[in-house]
């Protein structure tokens, strides 16, 4: 209401922004009219003309920039190098600005050329992803408007069926003219291939090159694809290629050539839904032993006992609720809360809570026990084995649960007690009765107990999570091959190969009695958020971005502009129908489907999980209603099912139609019956997913209707629904099967969704703050690698490192006058026999001794270079920097993983986990830089190659040999159960992506040419 008042007084920002751009659309159309009489060759000549204009406009900046880059190859002084780097950066920024200025100038002519090319292609046919298509599209004015918005680096929100794929060709063609490359990012390989072949004819007409990155391609194919003017691919492929490039030891095997301009299709799906999942390249951790199978019987026992306990509590509640006694009523409320915290999805309990009166009793009791920082909540939980916090997706073991799990163990109650290492070691050190040898043994025993018990606690926690918070056919399915496959909560798609992190996936595998896969170790990682922020210019398009525009701007600095539809939207979006129970809701849904079939009207039934889609399918089968099911288990038939969904009387059940990439076209006579009917079986957590489902109906001015059927038992209503709805239904005394329907109720549901969206945004923002720490470190390391890869002579860097190492050495021993230690370390690290008399040592002073050592070391280095030759020495320096960085960065990533796991516990000590993480990761990073420096110097001085091949550039193994993972970032820095104050920042753990694994005897993914076990896997 407040927003509508603001629009009334100040106007709609989208209308204002579009109004400013319409004059450019008119210019494009004016230019378009001039092109109609040109021959095809004359139209093609326009592309050459544009390229020449761009070249001419940018020459003044580009020429000195190219000269500086060549000069960098021969500069020896570190200071001179830094000066040139600063100048190169300044000129590159200036060049980017100039490109934008000239592209803005030629935009109307370039867009007109694309529009006229589309006109000339009309009637022609070709194949796109195996399907024959006949071209029949010329951009509308609103599509030209969308193209301008994308070129400006903004997000264009365009309704389903408005032709976003065609819109992208306009800015893609314009920006490809610079020759710096344009990336078009899609959500899956099929769409990347289809769109590159479908739209490719426009670019081919103008002799622009088009590439498409597919998961199965090797490095050589990828290099060719990225060298094209325009490259299509998925977000995962672009991100993994960036990581692989930063593991390569030769520039010729790097596939990407920079991050100039990217347009992201389904931008909300990629930059918001997928933002929490970092991309990871990893290798196996050898044969790791897990305790999941060993601990499973204990967890199953406690799970069964809790289930029986809650069942008995619910029975007692039912009896107490028959009484009018106030004390009985009070006890019933307390028991209701206990049952709800024990098993919130117990069917008998959910049936009880569908009564508004009892739901209100539970809410009132919960409020009473949550007062004063939940001081009384232990009274509720002490009788349970574990307590479940559904809203925060958390589970906590009680003392009773710990005792039950420890039962039968020889350790008794110590089964769960972690020794206080600091205190215990201090006791040992101060005990004079214990010999040094025994002290060492006892310390080893302590470390062993600590390691074993912490692993055991972690295993039990993850197994309990798997049993209590993750449901089969909701969060995951079991494939025909007997593997656990994650279901995307937003699209309903199976996510091939993705795995939950932190041992959760292994816990689910143990729960379902399938093979438990082994652990992996991180070699390189980046989040999608930080990958896409690498681009100089980023744009996106989707049907639903407006509800998340605050997040787009805050995280990516992307503005959202809603583009008007080409034809008015005549679809009718009806108010939600709310029922008391799921049973009543399903009955109403089946009744509505039967009614629509009689009218010969197609209906698309949208569900939020595989479980719901199969439940509705079973009911329809019993009633003999023919229908198609499109969920995580039927993806092979996806295109066929979607194509049939608009036919008269068709019934299609779909798990979240979001991101399907295919429009539903209406069959003959369907328009007369009212168009496609969208029937939502439940509101999703995010409003935009519901809007995506609605958007499947009413495309291009077609009629249509959308309506959501929801119940008080739905997860969204149970966890976040307003008391107002429950109270209204209670006062109205509604009968079985009766629904409440009103605009106020629909708005109340949307407010509940907004609550969840705000919570999820807080989680993503918090995670980004953690990842920014790692991102800054990654940028430093990768920039050092890049300089080494680009063939610049690294001698000046080696000497700079040498200066620092020698300074530390002198600082360490000079004050003590320890000449012998200095002599030994110089000999050991630099192969220089440094001899000096005590008198000379004192006379020279610290600085003099340092200079003397440096003089001897540089003299030795000079002789070595003369023996090996300058070229071989340069390759040796490059090999030293790259191999040391790779090895040390891998170890650093492992240390950072360990740091993240326990950092959340700091909140118990009233410390901010983020500040603690920043502080400790900075210390680790300084240590990393010091180790890199020391080892590079040592390597350059001590390594003597027997043959030049030993320091040759290393070849990169094919991409499919790598193990690529899409990991969970949900618990980044908060993996331990955190205190209540931090609980609202946690969300449901997200899946990870795993592809082909690297075997120990296969070539290492870093490209060294060595076997994995002898390279990055040697410490695994």
């Amino acid at each position: 209401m407040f927003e509508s008042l603001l629009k009334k007084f100040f106007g709609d920002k989208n209308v204002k922004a579009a109004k400013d751009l319409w004059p450019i659309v008119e210019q494009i159309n004016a230019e378009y009219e001039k092109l109609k009489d040109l021959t095809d060759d004359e139209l093609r000549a326009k592309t050459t003309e544009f390229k020449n204009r761009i070249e001419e406009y940018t020459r003044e900046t580009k020429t000195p920039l190219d000269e500086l880059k060549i000069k960098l190859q021969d500069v020896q002084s570190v200071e001179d190098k830094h000066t040139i780097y600063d100048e190169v950066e300044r000129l590159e920024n200036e060049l980017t600005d100039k490109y934008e200025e000239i592209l803005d100038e030629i935009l109307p002519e370039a867009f007109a050329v694309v529009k006229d090319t589309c006109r000339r292609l009309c009637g022609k046919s070709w194949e796109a992803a195996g399907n024959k298509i006949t071209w029949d599209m010329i951009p509308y004015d609103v599509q030209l408007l969308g193209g301008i918005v994308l070129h400006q680096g903004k997000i264009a929100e365009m309704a389903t069926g408005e032709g976003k794929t065609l819109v992208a060709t306009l800015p893609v063609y314009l920006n490809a003219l610079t020759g710096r490359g344009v990336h078009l990012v899609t959500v899956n390989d099929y769409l990347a291939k289809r769109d590159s072949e479908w739209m490719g004819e426009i670019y081919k007409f103008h002799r622009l090159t088009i590439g498409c990155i597919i998961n199965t391609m090797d490095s050589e194919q990828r290099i060719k694809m990225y060298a094209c003017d325009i490259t299509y691919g998925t977000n995962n492929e672009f991100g993994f290629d960036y990581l692989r490039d930063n593991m390569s030891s030769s520039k010729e095997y790097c596939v990407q050539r920079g991050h100039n301009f990217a347009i992201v299709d389904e931008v909300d799906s990629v930059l918001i839904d997928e933002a929490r999942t970092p991309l990871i390249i990893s290798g196996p951790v050898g044969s790791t032993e897990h305790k999941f199978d060993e601990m499973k019987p204990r967890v199953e026992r406690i799970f069964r006992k809790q289930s029986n306990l809650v069942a008995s509590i619910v029975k007692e509640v039912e009896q107490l609720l028959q009484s009018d006694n106030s004390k009985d009523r009070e006890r019933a409320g307390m028991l209701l809360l206990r049952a709800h915290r024990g098993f919130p999805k117990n069917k008998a309990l959910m049936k009880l809570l569908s009564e508004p009166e009892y739901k209100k009793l539970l809410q009132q009791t919960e409020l009473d026990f949550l007062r004063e920082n939940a001081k009384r909540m232990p009274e509720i939980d002490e009788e349970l084995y574990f307590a479940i916090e559904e809203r925060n997706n958390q589970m906590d073991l009680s003392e009773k649960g710990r005792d039950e799990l420890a039962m039968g163990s020889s350790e008794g109650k110590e089964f769960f007690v972690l020794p206080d290492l600091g205190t215990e070691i201090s006791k040992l050190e101060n005990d004079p009765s214990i010999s040094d040898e025994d002290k060492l043994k006892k310390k080893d025993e302590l470390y062993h107990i600590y390691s074993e018990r912490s692993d055991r606690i972690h295993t039990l926690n993850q197994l309990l999570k798997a049993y209590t918070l993750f449901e089969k056919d909701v969060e995951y399915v079991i494939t025909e091959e007997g593997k656990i496959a994650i279901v995307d909560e937003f699209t309903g798609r199976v996510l091939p190969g993705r795995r939950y992190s932190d041992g959760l996936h292994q816990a689910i595998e143990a729960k379902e009695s399938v093979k438990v896969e082994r652990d992996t170790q991180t070699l390189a990682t980046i989040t999608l958020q930080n990958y896409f922020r690498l681009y100089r210019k980023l744009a996106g398009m989707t049907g639903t971005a407006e509800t998340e525009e605050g997040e787009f701007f805050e995280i990516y600095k992307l503005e959202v502009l809603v583009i008007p539809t080409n034809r008015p939207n005549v679809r009718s979006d009806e108010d939600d129908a709310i029922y008391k129970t799921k049973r009543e809701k399903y009955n109403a849904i089946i009744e509505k489907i039967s009614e629509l079939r009689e009218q010969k009207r197609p209906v698309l039934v949208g569900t939020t999980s595989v479980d719901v889609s199969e439940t509705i399918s079973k009911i329809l089968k019993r009633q003999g209603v023919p229908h198609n099911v499109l969920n995580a288990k039927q993806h092979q038939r996806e295109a066929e099912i979607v194509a049939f969904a608009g036919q008269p009387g068709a019934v299609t059940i779909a798990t979240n139609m979001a991101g399907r990439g295919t429009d539903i076209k209406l069959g003959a006579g369907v328009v007369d019956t009212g168009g496609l009917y969208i029937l939502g079986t439940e509101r999703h957590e995010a409003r935009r997913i519901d809007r995506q489902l609605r958007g499947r109906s009413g495309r291009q001015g077609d009629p249509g209707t959308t309506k959501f059927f929801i119940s008080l038992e739905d997860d969204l209503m149970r966890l976040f629904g307003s008391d107002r709805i429950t109270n209204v239904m209670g006062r109205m005394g509604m009968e079985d099967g009766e629904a409440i329907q009103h605009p106020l109720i629909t708005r109340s549901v949307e407010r509940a969704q907004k609550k969840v969206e705000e919570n999820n945004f807080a989680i993503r923002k918090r995670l980004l703050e953690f990842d920014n720490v790692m991102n800054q470190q990654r940028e430093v390391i990768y920039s050092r690698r890049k300089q080494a890869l680009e063939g610049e002579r690294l001698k000046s860097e080696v000497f700079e490192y040498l200066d620092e190492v020698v300074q530390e050495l002198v600082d360490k021993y000079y004050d003590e006058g320890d000449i012998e230690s200095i002599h030994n370390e110089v000999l050991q690290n630099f192969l220089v026999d440094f001899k000096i008399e005590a008198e000379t040592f004192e006379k020279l002073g610290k600085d003099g001794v340092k200079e003397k050592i440096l003089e001897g070391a540089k003299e030795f280095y000079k002789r070595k270079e003369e023996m090996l030759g300058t070229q071989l020495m340069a390759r040796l320096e490059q090999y030293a920097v790259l191999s040391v960085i790779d090895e040390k960065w891998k170890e650093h990533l492992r240390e950072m993983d360990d740091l993240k796991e326990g950092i959340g516990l700091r909140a118990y000590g009233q410390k901010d986990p983020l500040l603690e993480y920043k502080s400790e990761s900075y210390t680790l990073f300084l240590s990393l830089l010091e180790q890199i420096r020391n080892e590079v110097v040592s390597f350059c001085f001590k390594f003597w190659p027997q043959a030049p091949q030993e320091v040759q550039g290393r070849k990169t193994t094919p991409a499919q040999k790598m193990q690529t993972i899409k990991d969970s970032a949900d618990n980044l820095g908060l993996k331990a159960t955190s205190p209540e104050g931090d609980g609202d920042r946690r969300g449901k753990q997200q899946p990870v992506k795993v592809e082909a694994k690297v075997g120990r005897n296969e070539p290492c993914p870093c490209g060294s040419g060595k076997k994995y076990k002898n390279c990055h896997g040697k410490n695994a």
Side-chain angles (χ1 to χ4, degrees), residues 218-227 252-255:
D218 60 26
S219 295
E220 286 181 15
Q221 290 171 303
R222 287 168 189 264
I223 289 169
K224 288 176 187 170
M225 296 297 108
Y226 280 111
E252 62 184 292
Y253 295 110
C254 290
V255 298

Side-chain angles (χ1 to χ4, degrees), residues 290 483 499 505-506 509 515-519 997:
H290 64 79
K483 293 192 179 293
R499 294 175 65 79
H505 204 94
Q506 291 168 301
E509 286 167 337
K515 185 188 173 188
V516 179
E517 304 287 344
R518 62 178 176 172
D519 263 341
K997 293 192 174 182

Side-chain angles (χ1 to χ4, degrees), residues 320 323-335:
L320 288 168
S323 167
D324 293 329
N325 187 307
S326 61
K327 285 193 175 177
D328 285 347
R329 200 87 177 149
E330 189 180 321
R331 176 161 173 76
M334 194 176 88
L335 290 175

